[in-house]
Amino acid sequence: MNSDDLFLKRAVELARIGSEAGEGGPFGAVIVRDGKIIAEGWNRVLASHDPTAHAEMGAIRTACTQFGHFHLPGCTLYASSEPCPMCLSAAYWARIERIVFANRRTEAAAIGFCDDELYCELNRHFTERSIVMEHRPLPGAEAPLREWASSPSHVAY
């Protein structure tokens, strides 16, 4: 068994552990750097009452805390299933270099975890989304943006 399969097997094992404990859906994730697992996570949505407590999010948060940085260069995210839009976005924000997953999103959808609607929503203009979104320009609202951008101490990410 190659290393990708070993790490992916661990992600699937974490999916089983978390779901059997009743903490959330059957999803697990590990983050690997230089051939070593640096963070693990499983879905904890039910246990934490937090809709963002997905396996990948937990693993990314743990890895970033461990490294003391918000970027994870040289890291691979192994996920038991194809990451949802939120987790995929977090992987991009964290600058994860590679994602390897076992189950496609169609397989997760077959048991009630369908992200297709969300993928479609994100492609719509904000005025056409199912959540009402209103743009209300406010005098002075841009000031924090300009101040941050012009500050010599700002950290771009």
Side-chain angles (χ1 to χ4, degrees), residues 30-144:
V30 298
I31 296 179
V32 174
R33 186 180 206 179
D34 298 326
K36 295 178 185 142
I37 293 176
I38 60 168
E40 298 182 333
W42 59 68
N43 187 293
R44 299 195 75 250
V45 169
L46 299 176
S48 66
H49 309 288
D50 178 357
T52 70
H54 291 198
E56 300 91 337
M57 298 296 287
I60 290 169
R61 288 175 181 137
T62 298
C64 287
T65 299
Q66 191 173 42
F67 281 104
H69 204 275
F70 46 82
H71 287 160
L72 298 171
C75 290
T76 298
L77 169 63
Y78 292 88
S80 61
S81 291
E82 184 176 354
C84 74
M86 174 183 67
C87 295
L88 182 58
S89 296
Y92 274 100
W93 285 121
R95 307 288 200 278
I96 287 174
E97 289 185 10
R98 185 170 170 245
I99 299 172
V100 180
F101 60 91
N103 298 302
R104 293 169 302 182
R105 69 186 208 219
T106 53
E107 292 156 334
I111 62 162
F113 293 94
C114 187
D115 297 328
D116 289 345
E117 186 176 318
L118 185 50
Y119 276 103
C120 290
E121 279 285 307
L122 295 174
N123 284 321
R124 292 186 178 114
H125 187 272
F126 75 87
T127 59
E128 298 172 355
R129 293 185 180 144
S130 62
I131 293 178
V132 176
M133 294 182 70
E134 299 176 20
H135 174 224
R136 293 196 177 270
L138 185 65
E142 291 180 22

